[in-house]
Amino acid sequence: MKYFFTLSLLLAFITSQSQTLQRTLLPVNNTNNQNIPNPWSGGLNACQLSEIDLNLDGTKDLFVFERTGNRILPFINNGISNTISYHYESAYINAFPPLSDWALLVDYNADGKEDLFAYNGGKVKVYRNTSSATQLEFTHLSNQLITDYSGSPFQLYVSRVDIPAITDVDNDGDIDILTFQSLGGYIEFHENLSMDLYGHADSLIFIMTDPCWGDVYEGLNTYTLNDCNTPLVNPRHTGSSILAIDIDNDADKDLILGDVSYNNLNLLTNGGSPSTSLITAVDQNFPANNSNTIATDITAFPAAFYLDVNNDGLKDLIASPNIANNCENKESLWLYLNSGSNTAPVFSLHQKNFLQDNTLDFGAGAYPLFYDYNSDGLLDIICGNFGYFNGGDHVGQLAVLENTGTTNQAAFTLVEDDFANLSNLPLNTLLNIPVSGVSPTFGDLDGDGDDDMILGDADGKLHYFENSAGSGNPIQMNLHTNNYFNIDVGQYAAPVLWDLNQDNLLDLVIGKLTGDLLYLPNSGTNTTAIFDTIINDFGQVHVANLFAGYGYSRPYFYTENNATQLLVGSESGHVYHYNNIDNNLNGSFAVVDTFAFDIWDGIKTSVSYQDLNNDSVRDFLIGNQSGGLIYFQSDTTNNNSSNIAEAPQNLHLYPNPATHTIYISIQGEKTIYNILGEVVLKTRKKRINIQGLANGVYWIRCNKTVGKFIKQ
């Protein structure tokens, strides 16, 4: 009885200590006043796609791994026959472990449930899908796959910039792997011996049976057939994607290859057999020649994926770039619908912005601000970005989302995607071209009663736009001064206007690439701002990634309990919280939290924190490097929130039982309790060392989730 009583108290405590912010689905319309189904999913650029039944309703949903920031985006298939219809559901993110670089879902044990194969430092880690009828769940199986290289067992190597083919290559009923060798050029065939040894497909026992599968050598967008002898004096770089499907209905696997060196997909036709491969033809205009459609042309590094997206029983082709940066980001998901069969597909280009057309996606980078741009008393959103890809360059733009809701219930319409005509302004005076990385801040700098704009850019410069609208009118920005006060912070200027020294003049604080802040007090008047003094290392704020050496600091000030607070977005995606700012401008600010709100949804975050719905509690808006926005509402209200995201979820812990280490897949502070309800450990780590705990049963809490594990 003592156990159950203690457990009930613990669960009550956990409920009372839940997170203060939750993802919320506010309605958004596009420029044509049409509803955007999935506006707050956070952007899509370099994507990898797999099928899986996420909500366990018998219909295959969509798992998207977004390589920019290593994000997981679950899309639930609405299951309408012959129709493309998905809705984003963030709750299912928690079912997956953290992933990086590449991830594919493949059913290796023939139980009808897709398992997870993912990159792990040159190795392939595997999680088995152990979902029940009501709970999506993955159990860690292995941190690496072992293969037999000519009698010597070793890790099966896959580069972080490659995407392997994981499928039944030889048609014997178990899952094999095709991947480029470590030096590139030749494709290795790692045969699974599960069926040979055991007569069933539930094992992953590999042997490299062919170091030159297909007898083909890939160079720099060139192929040499019947060649397994090219000396690797100047080996081809890594960076290739492989999709293995039967495209000509001859029962063997053909290949669709992408490469970091070119924009096109290549079809390699297998003229051999399932057991003896031989590439006999290469089509570098795929799929145009295959089915009289448009050839894929994606900058850069296209990768192909084969899955049914319109519920007609036929697998379709999707191509997306697979390089995290400097790639197409506005039309980067090419969808070809299949009108043939699954073994003799006929592809026709349907759209170049699959999923992207149903979300808020501002290319690369999103730097949002809550701001009442039309002076109607409702907070709108002004969003800058790093830019839209334009043939090797990025052109930054400002988007305006007007709040068309009420004081208590916000709703937005995208009314402008190039505010102030930035895409045509040669703000880079040296090259006479537009700039990238446009980051806005607003404030009245000339004392005329309306807010002006200072715009930071990726080159580290500032630009001053004067508002000519007059007090109480929608803003009308006109470029006043390029290279404002000749301020140059190096790279990625992220300015904010705020009266820090309480002299009724707006001061400047600027974030930058290195992850620290600059402070420029305003020494002018209320009609003429002067920023001629620079204070470095302001507040000793440092949000740099220790390994990368940069931080992309993006500051945001607000007032709470009559005290100035500072939030700083960062390269890592964490939001840092500082206080002890007032009357301490020459000192060190106090670090309140290095992971504020337990929120993470991509890298290079930018934040805004305002009361949007008039409930006296601030709401949270975050932008990320993927070019998307995520909105979090205070949990004092449940208006329009996702029921699944709001409901407490079971915590996924593995291994369980555990001896030395236990792993938890979600972000946030973890609190471990013993059977008596006593706190025995607190940590923010995902991989938790439990060697110091006594054997027994423990409970762990993180946000609204609860889990139980056994230490043995």
Side-chain angles (χ1 to χ4, degrees), residues 564-600:
T564 302
Q565 309 286 321
L566 170 63
L567 300 176
V568 185
S570 69
E571 155 69 19
S572 67
H574 294 189
V575 177
Y576 291 70
H577 180 195
Y578 297 84
N579 63 14
N580 190 30
I581 298 168
D582 298 321
N583 303 311
N584 186 34
L585 301 183
N586 294 317
S588 299
F589 302 158
V591 180
V592 180
D593 200 344
T594 61
F595 200 172
F597 310 110
D598 294 331
I599 288 172
W600 187 92

Side-chain angles (χ1 to χ4, degrees), residues 453-466:
M453 178 174 72
I454 291 181
L455 193 75
D457 68 28
D459 295 324
K461 310 293 196 304
L462 300 184
H463 313 279
Y464 172 44
F465 289 75
E466 185 178 1

Side-chain angles (χ1 to χ4, degrees), residues 11 14 18-19 94 645 647-652 664 666-667 669-671 699-707:
L11 293 176
I14 289 170
S18 58
Q19 62 186 13
N94 293 342
Q649 305 290 313
N650 291 330
L651 206 59
H652 300 286
I664 173 175
I666 64 176
Q667 306 277 356
E669 184 175 76
K670 291 85 174 173
T671 305
W699 292 86
I700 185 168
R701 169 180 65 86
C702 185
N703 302 330
K704 287 187 174 183
T705 57
V706 184

Side-chain angles (χ1 to χ4, degrees), residues 253-542:
K253 294 295 190 296
D254 309 291
L255 301 185
I256 300 172
L257 295 186
D259 191 273
V260 72
S261 301
Y262 43 87
N263 301 349
N264 54 300
L265 290 174
N266 299 283
L267 172 64
L268 278 63
T269 301
N270 187 356
S273 67
S275 59
T276 305
S277 60
L278 180 65
I279 300 301
T280 55
V282 177
D283 178 6
Q284 295 184 284
N285 199 38
F286 181 80
N289 296 332
N290 170 261
S291 49
N292 193 30
T293 190
I294 299 174
T296 304
D297 184 8
I298 296 178
T299 307
F301 189 7
F305 306 92
Y306 199 46
L307 62 162
D308 180 13
V309 301
N310 61 347
N311 300 298
D312 64 352
L314 301 176
K315 292 184 180 294
D316 310 296
L317 184 74
I318 300 174
S320 179
N322 260 271
I323 189 167
N325 296 294
N326 204 36
C327 64
E328 174 60 58
N329 54 43
K330 194 173 184 178
E331 295 183 333
S332 56
L333 280 162
W334 289 38
L335 169 60
Y336 295 86
L337 294 180
N338 183 2
S339 60
S341 68
N342 288 330
T343 55
V346 177
F347 298 118
S348 178
L349 181 64
H350 179 73
Q351 64 185 117
K352 297 181 180 181
N353 59 348
F354 173 60
L355 298 177
Q356 293 170 310
D357 61 335
N358 288 326
T359 188
L360 287 172
D361 194 327
F362 301 108
Y367 316 137
L369 282 176
F370 286 125
Y371 178 73
D372 184 7
Y373 95 105
N374 56 1
S375 301
D376 65 352
L378 301 177
L379 288 173
D380 313 293
I381 297 173
I382 305 288
C383 187
N385 68 354
F386 178 72
Y388 296 105
F389 186 78
N390 185 29
D393 298 317
H394 286 81
V395 178
Q397 297 180 195
L398 289 176
V400 178
L401 290 99
E402 182 180 338
N403 190 343
T404 53
T406 67
T407 55
N408 299 318
Q409 183 60 62
F412 294 96
T413 297
L414 180 63
V415 297
E416 177 75 68
D417 63 2
D418 193 15
F419 178 71
N421 197 32
L422 292 186
S423 67
N424 294 302
L425 285 182
L427 296 179
N428 185 325
T429 55
L430 181 64
L431 301 176
N432 198 39
I433 59 174
V435 296
S436 60
V438 295
S439 182
T441 185
F442 298 90
D444 187 2
L445 294 172
D446 54 11
D448 63 353
D450 55 27
D451 285 344
D452 309 295
M453 178 174 72
I454 291 181
L455 193 75
D457 68 28
D459 295 324
K461 310 293 196 304
L462 300 184
H463 313 279
Y464 172 44
F465 289 75
E466 185 178 1
N467 186 359
S468 61
S471 179
N473 297 313
I475 56 177
Q476 296 289 329
M477 292 298 177
N478 302 289
L479 179 63
H480 184 278
T481 306
N482 235 347
N483 296 330
Y484 190 51
F485 283 95
N486 292 316
I487 296 169
D488 188 346
V489 305
Q491 288 181 278
Y492 295 93
V496 60
L497 289 167
W498 192 266
D499 182 10
L500 283 163
N501 55 12
Q502 301 176 22
D503 63 353
N504 295 316
L505 298 177
L506 292 172
D507 307 303
L508 257 177
V509 176
I510 309 174
K512 55 180 182 170
L513 174 67
T514 52
D516 52 332
L517 303 179
L518 299 180
Y519 172 44
L520 293 85
N522 188 346
S523 61
T525 67
N526 64 347
T527 59
T528 304
I530 298 176
F531 302 106
D532 55 2
T533 301
I534 297 178
I535 298 173
N536 293 291
D537 201 18
F538 183 53
Q540 296 189 23
V541 171
H542 301 128

Side-chain angles (χ1 to χ4, degrees), residues 50-70:
S50 299
E51 291 179 307
I52 182 174
D53 186 1
L54 294 168
N55 59 354
L56 307 174
D57 65 348
T59 299
K60 295 298 183 183
D61 306 302
L62 192 58
F63 168 90
V64 179
F65 177 68
E66 217 281 310
R67 201 164 193 165
T68 307
N70 296 318

